[in-house]
Amino acid sequence: MTGLMNGLWLHDRQLSLQSDIPKPEPKPGEAIVKVLRAGVCNTDLELTRGYYPYSGILGHEFVGVVEEGPAEWLNQRVVGEINASCGTCEFCQKGIRTHCLDRTVLGIVNRNGAFADYLSLPIANLHPVPASVSTDAATFTEPLAAALAILTQVEITPNHRVLIVGDGKLGLLVAQAIATTGCEVLAIGRHASKLQLLKDCGIQTGFASDIKAGSFDVAVECTGNPAGFAIALDALKARGTLVLKSTYAGKLTLDAARIVVDEIKLVGSRCGAFGPALTLLESGKVSVLPMVQARFELQDGLAAIDRASQKGTLKVLLEMG
Amino acid sequence: MTGLMNGLWLHDRQLSLQSDIPKPEPKPGEAIVKVLRAGVCNTDLELTRGYYPYSGILGHEFVGVVEEGPAEWLNQRVVGEINASCGTCEFCQKGIRTHCLDRTVLGIVNRNGAFADYLSLPIANLHPVPASVSTDAATFTEPLAAALAILTQVEITPNHRVLIVGDGKLGLLVAQAIATTGCEVLAIGRHASKLQLLKDCGIQTGFASDIKAGSFDVAVECTGNPAGFAIALDALKARGTLVLKSTYAGKLTLDAARIVVDEIKLVGSRCGAFGPALTLLESGKVSVLPMVQARFELQDGLAAIDRASQKGTLKVLLEMG
């Protein structure tokens, strides 16, 4: 089963399509997954801009089929949590495996990613995709899990008013994830066409100019830029919570006096558990497929990244095999 | 009882000693307090630099004697919570009176402060000073309450490692407040002589160079400058909590990627309840008197502010009457 495969390889901020990457060898406890579909995330784009010095195959949102691994997993359609943990460090012992001190992260830290014919992940990271969830929809498991992680970090009840800042890929998922709590959600952005996707789900949308300062209990910053952060901070009531969900490539400058005087809480939020995301996808209560704006074959992967880099693009999918 | 009084008056960033300020008139529900002692806080200094556009008598840390008010309060030695609240707004209804939307704040927002012969505060804000607590020590009630507020915002257990950044007035109180939890405390600063005050209380001290990155569960930033913030952030483990305790006059620039990737929590912290602070002062388990470095008569109030503004100065007290 060994041999060569295709993949989008990042090195020194240069992305290239390579056709002679050795297919991964199965390691103890890991499975080899043939990738069916992969999604391009903003973090992929940030990595190509040098946000973090990663070398290897890019990509971490995927659906695949187990080709090598324990018998009960073979030929199963799966998604996979992206943090591979050591199991022994302080964080693993506490059960916080996403913060394992020796972790590798699929397509992000020391582990080849999903923009390839095959990938390797610990079997413990894999989740079967329910039959009723399409492969396209399941590609959203990872970012939807990240969106749902907010609900494990911040208490949101039906009495809360929550603002989502940003109508990009992440903002649209976060708005839908937060809306499952029954709270009052307002999602703001700059593109009526994207906000329409949320309107179609019954979520209230608007623009920054619609916001009354000091009127939200929680604000989730999904733009990754300082202007979005300032809008989110300004919108919060005293004792409010600002969730930082986007990866920031640069430094962020903020009004610290506001944070102290109004006792604002800032919460960084990264990955989430896949179980709740798959359950939500299975329920049909989130709408992800309208976010797909373009599809490319892996062979046209560079064009896919170009397309995803164009301002205003929602999800770009790569189709393998 | 009406007449004129002395006070340190701030207007347009200019502080002056005035001897013809009308003595406050008692309003319904308020008491007139003859000020005995007042402490100079960094916030006072920030206000003279224009941190917030306040006009009026400066000062919010005080001990006084009730001169006009309900019979049971007359002649009592008191301290007073500094936020005077409306009782009817959203925050007052929730019992979060320090965030009252219509609040005035003693010597900070629309209410004449304590650097004067007399002040006026709602009776609901007053607390009798226990007989065993000296007037000098009781002057620390307000900043000690602010330090103790951290324990109501962040869970700190004996298993936690907590870093205090800054050996100024606030840092020394915060270190002692946090140490009451039985956790492992390290207080760092730049002045061996100030850190000695904590060593004398059995608290571990050091310098920034002593810190291993990623080794603390909680860090409390008490310097009010970006360098202190960066040290605190760097010291935190993943999922750690950074408490912002100092007033920041300017903007703060931070590494937002660290906050997102390591899911750091930032918590702004301002005022605290006086009850626990008075109890702690009464217990004798905090050492505040060694922090007093200079005393001035109210008549020499401008010199007191000058002295407090000198780098490295701990507490400066004003003595009235």
Side-chain angles (χ1 to χ4, degrees):
Chain A
M1 300 279 287
T2 56
L4 301 178
M5 67 173 188
N6 303 298
L8 281 184
W9 189 272
L10 181 66
H11 182 71
D12 205 11
R13 304 191 193 189
Q14 288 296 315
L15 194 65
S16 60
L17 179 72
Q18 310 249 338
S19 57
D20 56 356
I21 303 172
K23 193 183 150 185
E25 301 277 351
K27 290 183 194 160
E30 298 205 350
I32 303 297
V33 176
K34 182 168 164 46
V35 183
L36 296 174
R37 202 83 82 249
V40 181
C41 167
N42 275 0
T43 300
D44 301 320
L45 306 177
E46 295 285 4
L47 286 168
T48 66
R49 292 170 196 141
Y51 153 69
Y52 179 89
Y54 171 68
S55 274
I57 299 169
L58 208 60
H60 57 274
E61 301 176 0
F62 76 95
V63 181
V65 169
V66 177
E67 196 170 285
E68 291 181 61
E72 65 271 27
W73 283 95
L74 289 180
N75 299 315
Q76 287 228 43
R77 198 168 51 128
V78 295
V79 288
E81 311 219 11
I82 69 176
N83 297 278
S85 54
C86 72
T88 58
C89 76
E90 173 186 350
F91 286 93
C92 286
Q93 292 293 318
K94 281 195 231 162
I96 311 174
R97 286 175 168 259
T98 54
H99 286 288
C100 167
L101 296 173
D102 289 321
R103 70 185 179 271
T104 59
V105 187
L106 190 71
I108 299 174
V109 182
N110 290 330
R111 176 176 285 270
N112 277 326
F115 297 163
D117 293 317
Y118 296 91
L119 61 81
S120 175
L121 264 182
I123 294 147
N125 286 39
L126 301 181
H127 294 255
V129 177
S132 67
V133 179
S134 72
T135 296
D136 279 358
T139 312
F140 288 86
T141 306
E142 196 277 336
L144 185 59
L148 287 166
I150 296 168
L151 304 182
T152 68
Q153 297 178 286
V154 181
E155 192 193 36
I156 298 178
T157 71
N159 295 325
H160 285 127
R161 295 195 73 210
V162 181
L163 177 71
I164 317 299
V165 183
D167 57 9
K169 297 182 277 295
L170 190 59
L172 298 183
L173 290 176
V174 167
Q176 295 188 65
I178 300 285
T180 62
T181 63
C183 70
E184 185 184 336
V185 175
L186 174 66
I188 63 161
R190 290 180 174 166
H191 311 84
S193 61
K194 295 189 199 177
L195 292 172
Q196 187 62 45
L197 299 184
L198 294 179
K199 274 191 185 170
D200 293 344
C201 306
I203 291 172
Q204 199 188 337
T205 65
F207 301 98
S209 54
D210 299 329
I211 299 172
K212 188 173 156 245
S215 63
F216 288 86
D217 301 287
V218 177
V220 187
E221 206 302 288
C222 301
T223 70
N225 69 56
F229 182 89
I231 290 167
L233 182 56
D234 198 46
L236 284 175
K237 296 179 190 177
R239 293 261 175 109
T241 300
L242 199 167
V243 181
L244 276 178
K245 195 69 221 180
S246 269
T247 313
Y248 283 73
K251 297 278 180 182
L252 176 68
T253 297
L254 54 82
D255 176 4
R258 171 86 214 278
I259 290 175
V260 174
V261 170
D262 284 341
E263 300 192 316
I264 300 292
K265 203 182 283 178
L266 235 78
V267 179
S269 178
R270 185 168 44 98
C271 295
F274 275 29
L278 286 165
T279 303
L280 190 56
L281 285 167
E282 200 176 6
S283 76
K285 286 181 188 155
V286 285
S287 168
V288 295
L289 296 180
M291 290 173 61
V292 177
Q293 289 198 317
R295 304 166 167 277
F296 292 81
E297 301 280 322
L298 177 57
Q299 295 296 341
D300 300 318
L302 294 178
I305 299 293
D306 273 352
R307 177 74 167 88
S309 304
Q310 287 168 25
K311 257 197 172 327
T313 305
L314 290 174
K315 189 58 75 182
V316 172
L317 295 183
L318 284 168
E319 299 188 322
M320 282 75 165
Chain B
M1 300 277 288
T2 55
L4 301 178
M5 66 174 188
N6 302 299
L8 281 183
W9 189 271
L10 181 67
H11 182 72
D12 205 10
R13 303 190 193 189
Q14 288 297 317
L15 194 65
S16 58
L17 178 71
Q18 312 250 338
S19 57
D20 55 355
I21 303 171
K23 193 183 151 186
E25 299 278 351
K27 289 184 194 159
E30 298 205 350
I32 303 297
V33 176
K34 181 168 165 48
V35 182
L36 295 174
R37 201 85 82 250
V40 181
C41 167
N42 275 0
T43 300
D44 300 319
L45 306 177
E46 295 286 3
L47 286 169
T48 66
R49 292 170 196 139
Y51 154 70
Y52 180 89
Y54 171 67
S55 274
I57 299 170
L58 208 59
H60 57 275
E61 301 176 1
F62 76 95
V63 181
V65 169
V66 177
E67 198 171 284
E68 292 181 60
E72 64 271 29
W73 283 94
L74 288 180
N75 300 316
Q76 287 230 41
R77 199 168 52 129
V78 295
V79 287
E81 310 221 11
I82 69 177
N83 297 277
S85 55
C86 72
T88 58
C89 76
E90 174 186 349
F91 286 93
C92 285
Q93 292 294 318
K94 282 194 230 164
I96 311 174
R97 287 177 168 257
T98 54
H99 287 288
C100 167
L101 295 172
D102 289 320
R103 70 183 179 274
T104 58
V105 187
L106 189 72
I108 300 174
V109 182
N110 291 332
R111 176 177 285 270
N112 277 328
F115 296 163
D117 292 317
Y118 294 91
L119 61 80
S120 174
L121 265 182
I123 293 148
N125 286 39
L126 300 182
H127 294 256
V129 177
S132 67
V133 179
S134 72
T135 295
D136 279 358
T139 312
F140 288 84
T141 306
E142 196 278 336
L144 184 61
L148 287 165
I150 296 168
L151 304 182
T152 68
Q153 297 178 287
V154 181
E155 192 194 35
I156 298 179
T157 72
N159 295 323
H160 285 128
R161 295 195 73 212
V162 181
L163 178 70
I164 316 299
V165 183
D167 57 9
K169 296 181 278 294
L170 190 59
L172 298 183
L173 290 176
V174 167
Q176 295 188 66
I178 301 283
T180 63
T181 64
C183 70
E184 185 184 336
V185 175
L186 174 66
I188 63 162
R190 290 178 173 167
H191 311 85
S193 61
K194 295 191 202 174
L195 292 172
Q196 186 63 44
L197 298 184
L198 294 178
K199 273 190 185 171
D200 293 344
C201 307
I203 292 173
Q204 199 187 336
T205 64
F207 301 98
S209 54
D210 298 330
I211 300 173
K212 189 171 155 249
S215 64
F216 288 86
D217 301 287
V218 176
V220 187
E221 206 301 288
C222 302
T223 70
N225 69 57
F229 183 89
I231 290 167
L233 182 56
D234 199 46
L236 284 175
K237 296 180 189 175
R239 293 263 175 108
T241 300
L242 199 167
V243 181
L244 276 178
K245 195 71 221 180
S246 270
T247 313
Y248 282 74
K251 296 279 180 182
L252 176 67
T253 298
L254 54 83
D255 175 5
R258 171 86 214 280
I259 290 175
V260 174
V261 171
D262 284 340
E263 300 192 316
I264 300 291
K265 204 182 285 178
L266 234 78
V267 179
S269 179
R270 185 167 45 98
C271 294
F274 275 27
L278 285 167
T279 302
L280 190 56
L281 285 168
E282 200 176 7
S283 76
K285 285 181 188 155
V286 285
S287 168
V288 296
L289 297 180
M291 291 172 61
V292 178
Q293 289 197 318
R295 304 167 167 276
F296 292 82
E297 302 279 323
L298 177 58
Q299 295 296 341
D300 300 320
L302 294 178
I305 299 293
D306 272 352
R307 178 73 168 87
S309 303
Q310 287 168 25
K311 256 196 174 322
T313 305
L314 290 173
K315 188 59 73 182
V316 171
L317 295 183
L318 284 169
E319 298 187 324
M320 282 73 167

